[in-house]
Amino acid sequence: MKIGIPRALLYSIYLPLWKTFLESLGHQIVMSSHTDKKILDNGVKFCVDDACLPIKIFHGHVMDLAHKTDAVLVPRLVSIHPEEYICPKFIGLPEMIKHSVPGSPSLLVMDYNARSGTEKAYHGMKTLGRELGASEKLIKRALSEARIRQAEHERRMEREKGLNPAHALDGKGMEGIIRLEQGTIGLIGHPYLVYDQFINMDICNKLAARGYGTVFPENIPMADIEAACKRYPKKMFWSYGKRLLGAGLTMMGDRQVDGLILLTSFGCGIDSFVDELLVIANRRKYKLPLTIITLDEHTGQAGFNTRLEAFIDMIEWRRRYDNYIPAHGLAVYTGKGTFR
Amino acid sequence: MTITFPHMGWLYIPVKALFDDLNVPIVVPPPINNKTLEIGTLLAPEMACLPMKINLGNYVQSIENGADTIVLTGSCGPCRFGYYGVVEQEILRDQGYDVDIIILDAPGRDPREFVNRISRITGRSPLFKGLKAFFQASKIIEEMDKLQQVFLRKRPRELAKGETDRIQTRFEKEVMKCKGSREILALIEKYRHKAETIQERPDTTPLRIGLVGEIYTLIEPYVNLNVEKKLGSLGVEVHRGITIRDWVKTHLSLDLKYKKERKEKLDKGAGYLNLCIGGHAWETIASAVHYADMGLDGVIQILPFGCMPEIVAESIIPTISKDLDIPAMTLTVDELTGEAGYQTRLEAFVDLLSRRKEIIYEQA
Ligand code: SF4
Ligand code: SF4
């Protein structure tokens, strides 16, 4: 069977697992195109208005695959770590797709739920394997092969600083560059914003053009992330919320970056909390240049570039006036309102 | 230690009774008003959910009245509500408010910590007194739920326009003057009697609308712009499954019969959504199906802007509306929602329902 995998949401992190599994079961995988204008427009058109940009774009990717494939894989990532979640919309994603995408393409829903244990997470994949008519033996082999590939991918992400996992998958698109002559910017955001060149207006290359490398949340070791989040009285139960928060705090604390950009989508519930905590921590303690850039379907290149330029100018200005002490941790607070 | 807590509809009534009985000083936040929202909007991140903005406004207004400890319940995801406490505390501290926040998470993992936190709140009351106070508070929740149901039933049928509202307002005023659960229970009883005897117009069969959506928005009239009163005065009988009683029963009680019924109700939505995705989205879907089964004339979903689980529900509702032939409307509220536009949309929807009913009636 020809199975489509949308190049959206967490594919850059989990593709080796999904793809190897399905291929080992004897299916052919077709990836949707890299996000483009058409995918975006389709997503915006058919998804409910109130949803955030990444979810809308996922809709667009499913539509891109609908006619090219026999079925489209829609992962239901309830949880990727015990006692944690990702986001309510990830849990309800298959339902959103089912009720919004026109022409009701056939969907393969694959549950992944590690909430009550990592091993249990694979139940959903086994179930899907059975639905696809594979034997238990084949499923077992496919799964173990898939897990090996996935582990390799995860090791690379943590080890190779500046690695862009999406690039690591197919060698296409932007490559991560950690350190350039001017310095390094910490880019904090969900993988589907940070690693999707179209959605993020090619931010990494734009930073590189001004001489800045980038470091991503996936490059910070999990142990540091966990340690950094300990300062809050309650466990942050969103896996990516935790990653972004801990990575941001670690980057600030180690002072390995010259500034931080918090990349978020308009209407992202998780980021509304994470970014607030980061902004408060930075204002009170670290006082690094920091800006929030909000993306939505109306974000235009021109406005985006101006914002980025202004931020870099500020970093450089601060460097020149090294002993200048800002009144309250000078930062560009641009988090209010949609950025157009 | 002076305790305060966030508002949510009539929640303050049992909470006040509880602390009165325990002799613990509390500050009931001033009724939510535009100032509350203004403070909350200023303090909270723009994309925070509306309930959290109102919470923050409540706290600040209570702190101004002498509160120094905030008590709120929590959860462990997947939705934002479970992390309100932490973010709220950071924001308040950042703004220079020196307050403690006690988060009452479900006892699950660490029962000792839970008991610890409870006893921090209840102070040195003897155990039996504490238990009695909790028992009385849950009784109040039951009774006020019944009172609310009477108001809902009477409003579209009242003979003298506005009488139900007048009685309700008087109740809400008087309840604040009561001290302790005994007085409050007596008052509820008195008003239930008053409400029961509101004169009804002869032979009215009002339109019936089911309200579904995010719990806080459904329960707190300030946020839903008094949707129940508005619909009631348009002659609509409002049905709403999610109440404070319902929330308490689900999260804090061991009532197995209730849990079984709840599960049965949730199963009704199974064809559309069959797992908890956070918040009350599952209830939203199941209730919409339930209301269609009951033969209600329409369903209205209300959610605060950016509400993650309800956005998922929002994308399913059109299908339910089509499959089960029941008109449905989604209303998203935020801090800028205007009274006039909101009223117009409600009126238009009610119009549509009554025209539809006439046509169905003629065809029959
Ligand atoms: S985490 Fe944020 S951006 Fe991602 S799906 Fe949820 S709301 Fe949207
Ligand atoms: S259910 Fe909606 S309003 Fe409640 S915490 Fe979640 S996003 Fe906020």
Side-chain angles (χ1 to χ4, degrees):
Chain A
M1 186 153 83
K2 221 198 243 178
I3 300 176
I5 299 186
R7 208 185 278 275
L9 291 177
L10 290 178
Y11 93 97
S12 64
I13 310 294
Y14 286 104
L15 188 66
L17 183 72
W18 304 337
K19 189 167 175 239
T20 318
F21 180 67
L22 293 170
E23 278 177 349
S24 308
L25 292 182
H27 299 285
Q28 186 196 340
I29 299 300
V30 179
M31 297 296 295
S32 57
S33 323
H34 286 270
T35 312
D36 58 18
K37 182 87 172 56
K38 182 159 164 250
I39 288 180
L40 171 74
D41 289 348
N42 270 337
V44 170
K45 188 161 161 209
F46 290 101
C47 182
V48 277
D49 255 356
D50 288 340
C52 52
L53 186 63
I55 293 285
K56 290 181 180 168
I57 286 179
F58 190 90
H59 283 62
H61 279 274
V62 172
M63 291 172 68
D64 181 56
L65 289 166
H67 303 291
K68 299 182 200 160
T69 55
D70 303 316
V72 181
L73 182 78
V74 182
R76 187 200 297 279
L77 297 176
V78 177
S79 159
I80 53 170
H81 193 81
E83 311 273 314
E84 290 179 9
Y85 294 97
I86 297 181
C87 165
K89 287 181 212 164
F90 270 75
I91 312 180
L93 184 66
E95 280 73 22
M96 293 187 82
I97 296 294
K98 187 169 159 206
H99 296 282
S100 306
V101 169
S104 37
S106 99
L107 306 177
L108 295 178
V109 177
M110 183 170 74
D111 287 10
Y112 189 90
N113 187 354
R115 199 173 120 70
S116 43
T118 323
E119 274 311 307
K120 288 195 186 139
Y122 302 104
H123 284 344
M125 294 177 73
K126 290 184 198 154
T127 312
L128 180 69
R130 279 177 215 125
E131 280 166 20
L132 289 169
S135 70
E136 291 299 317
K137 212 171 119 211
L138 185 58
I139 292 174
K140 212 171 148 204
R141 210 172 53 216
L143 193 57
S144 80
E145 180 67 19
R147 286 174 68 175
I148 293 171
R149 288 294 171 72
Q150 181 62 24
E152 279 166 12
H153 186 56
E154 283 174 17
R155 265 199 306 277
R156 269 194 80 186
M157 283 190 286
E158 245 187 45
R159 246 193 240 138
E160 295 176 34
K161 290 249 172 302
L163 176 82
N164 167 9
H167 178 85
L169 290 174
D170 58 5
K172 289 208 192 89
M174 123 216 149
E175 223 177 314
I177 314 166
I178 184 157
R179 199 157 184 99
L180 288 174
E181 64 274 22
Q182 294 293 340
T184 305
I185 304 287
L187 196 56
I188 302 291
H190 291 262
Y192 33 89
L193 296 183
V194 170
Y195 305 125
D196 188 321
Q197 259 177 301
F198 181 83
I199 304 181
N200 69 27
M201 306 264 155
D202 203 9
I203 187 168
C204 295
N205 283 328
K206 282 177 185 163
L207 287 171
R210 293 270 321 236
Y212 289 87
T214 18
V215 55
F216 308 122
E218 272 64 32
N219 306 140
I220 305 295
M222 206 54 206
D224 293 353
I225 289 174
E226 296 277 1
C229 291
K230 282 254 151 59
R231 73 185 70 182
Y232 299 102
K234 182 171 171 177
K235 178 183 159 74
M236 162 82 62
F237 46 74
W238 302 302
S239 299
Y240 278 92
K242 186 176 78 182
R243 185 176 275 282
L244 304 195
L245 181 62
L249 292 170
T250 308
M251 290 179 197
M252 289 174 187
D254 294 352
R255 303 205 81 78
Q256 17 162 288
V257 294
D258 299 275
L260 280 153
I261 297 178
L262 313 184
L263 210 52
T264 177
S265 1
F266 183 74
C268 173
I270 314 289
D271 286 355
S272 71
F273 280 17
V274 169
D275 291 354
E276 180 74 5
L277 293 175
L278 283 173
V279 166
I280 291 178
N282 187 52
R283 180 162 60 219
R284 302 196 64 136
K285 192 157 171 208
Y286 304 107
K287 305 189 196 306
L288 280 171
L290 178 150
T291 189
I292 298 179
I293 298 186
T294 308
L295 300 161
D296 72 4
E297 55 264 39
H298 310 294
T299 308
Q301 285 282 355
F304 182 89
N305 294 348
T306 319
R307 286 283 301 286
L308 206 58
E309 293 291 323
F311 181 63
I312 295 171
D313 288 346
M314 185 184 63
I315 293 177
E316 294 177 353
W317 184 82
R318 269 183 70 175
R319 193 178 298 145
R320 247 175 287 139
Y321 299 87
D322 219 2
N323 43 13
Y324 164 80
I325 298 162
H328 17 245
L330 180 67
V332 183
Y333 294 110
T334 37
K336 297 276 174 192
T338 315
F339 169 60
R340 281 161 215 271
Chain B
M1 181 175 75
T2 306
I3 287 177
T4 192
F5 56 93
H7 265 308
M8 177 165 89
W10 282 359
L11 181 66
Y12 66 93
I13 299 175
V15 173
K16 179 173 149 43
L18 178 70
F19 287 112
D20 282 355
D21 286 6
L22 292 169
N23 276 325
V24 174
I26 59 157
V27 173
V28 176
I32 301 173
N33 53 28
N34 294 350
K35 187 76 199 156
T36 319
L37 180 60
E38 205 177 287
I39 298 171
T41 313
L42 209 65
L43 293 188
E46 194 207 5
M47 280 297 141
C49 12
L50 191 55
M52 186 175 116
K53 293 182 181 170
I54 308 262
N55 283 181
L56 280 168
N58 287 152
Y59 302 154
V60 169
Q61 288 182 316
S62 286
I63 292 169
E64 284 163 3
N65 291 339
D68 57 23
T69 306
I70 297 161
V71 176
L72 74 157
T73 56
S75 76
C76 292
C79 211
R80 281 187 272 184
F81 176 66
Y83 220 67
Y84 274 15
V86 177
V87 178
E88 288 170 350
Q89 182 155 13
E90 286 291 311
I91 291 174
L92 289 174
R93 294 228 169 117
D94 188 47
Q95 294 292 321
Y97 293 105
D98 182 23
V99 284
D100 267 335
I101 294 196
I102 303 179
I103 306 172
L104 291 181
D105 281 327
R109 292 223 109 194
D110 195 355
R112 268 241 297 287
E113 176 61 23
F114 183 73
V115 173
N116 238 337
R117 289 184 187 174
I118 291 269
S119 55
R120 258 181 81 191
I121 298 166
T122 54
R124 248 170 282 136
S125 311
L127 182 67
F128 101 93
K129 198 175 154 200
L131 286 177
K132 179 140 190 275
F134 275 100
F135 176 76
Q136 289 289 90
S138 57
K139 198 158 154 199
I140 290 178
I141 291 170
E142 291 288 335
E143 294 305 315
M144 83 190 189
D145 198 76
K146 287 183 201 149
L147 177 61
Q148 199 138 36
Q149 298 303 333
V150 181
F151 285 146
L152 285 181
R153 199 179 66 238
K154 286 289 179 176
R155 204 171 275 121
R157 297 181 170 86
E158 64 194 6
L159 189 63
K161 255 219 162 311
E163 193 182 356
T164 316
D165 285 357
R166 270 196 300 280
I167 293 182
Q168 182 173 337
T169 312
R170 235 182 297 143
F171 166 73
E172 286 164 353
K173 231 185 223 139
E174 275 184 45
V175 82
M176 278 307 289
K177 296 194 201 111
C178 292
K179 188 133 180 76
S181 56
R182 287 250 303 277
E183 282 183 28
I184 289 179
L185 280 168
L187 189 80
I188 295 178
E189 183 55 35
K190 178 173 137 198
Y191 270 88
R192 188 160 79 185
H193 185 71
K194 275 194 187 185
E196 293 280 12
T197 47
I198 292 174
Q199 282 216 343
E200 297 187 14
R201 274 176 297 155
D203 32 83
T204 35
T205 41
L207 284 172
R208 298 187 299 164
I209 291 182
L211 292 186
V212 299
E214 191 275 325
I215 181 168
Y216 185 90
T217 316
L218 284 186
I219 292 179
E220 176 49 56
Y222 180 85
V223 198
N224 63 37
L225 290 90
N226 268 311
V227 68
E228 286 175 3
K229 287 190 182 171
K230 284 198 170 76
L231 286 173
S233 69
L234 290 171
V236 174
E237 181 180 296
V238 175
H239 290 250
R240 160 160 73 84
I242 295 180
T243 62
I244 292 175
R245 168 180 180 269
D246 176 77
W247 184 83
V248 169
K249 286 255 177 198
T250 317
H251 295 280
L252 304 175
S253 94
L254 299 168
D255 188 338
L256 292 177
K257 186 162 157 274
Y258 178 83
K259 295 208 164 152
K260 188 160 158 274
E261 282 169 15
R262 177 165 180 271
K263 182 74 185 51
E264 278 166 15
K265 195 174 147 202
L266 287 175
D267 283 344
K268 285 195 166 187
Y272 298 95
L273 184 69
N274 200 17
L275 79 173
C276 173
I277 63 166
H280 282 70
W282 198 3
E283 276 88 348
T284 298
I285 293 305
S287 309
V289 174
H290 175 67
Y291 289 142
D293 283 355
M294 269 172 70
L296 296 200
D297 299 290
V299 167
I300 298 180
Q301 180 204 18
I302 311 183
L303 65 146
F305 178 76
C307 176
M308 303 187 283
E310 290 300 328
I311 287 173
V312 176
E314 187 187 352
S315 46
I316 305 175
I317 284 193
T319 314
I320 297 181
S321 169
K322 207 158 35 168
D323 288 356
L324 305 178
D325 193 22
I326 181 168
M329 170 167 83
T330 293
L331 291 172
T332 308
V333 294
D334 67 7
E335 52 267 44
L336 303 173
T337 306
E339 186 80 27
Y342 192 79
Q343 176 76 21
T344 317
R345 291 199 59 192
L346 287 177
E347 281 171 16
F349 189 64
V350 171
D351 257 7
L352 175 122
L353 296 190
S354 55
R355 253 180 296 131
R356 192 168 175 272
K357 203 173 177 181
E358 273 168 33
I359 294 170
I360 293 173
Y361 186 72
E362 279 162 19
Q363 280 169 350

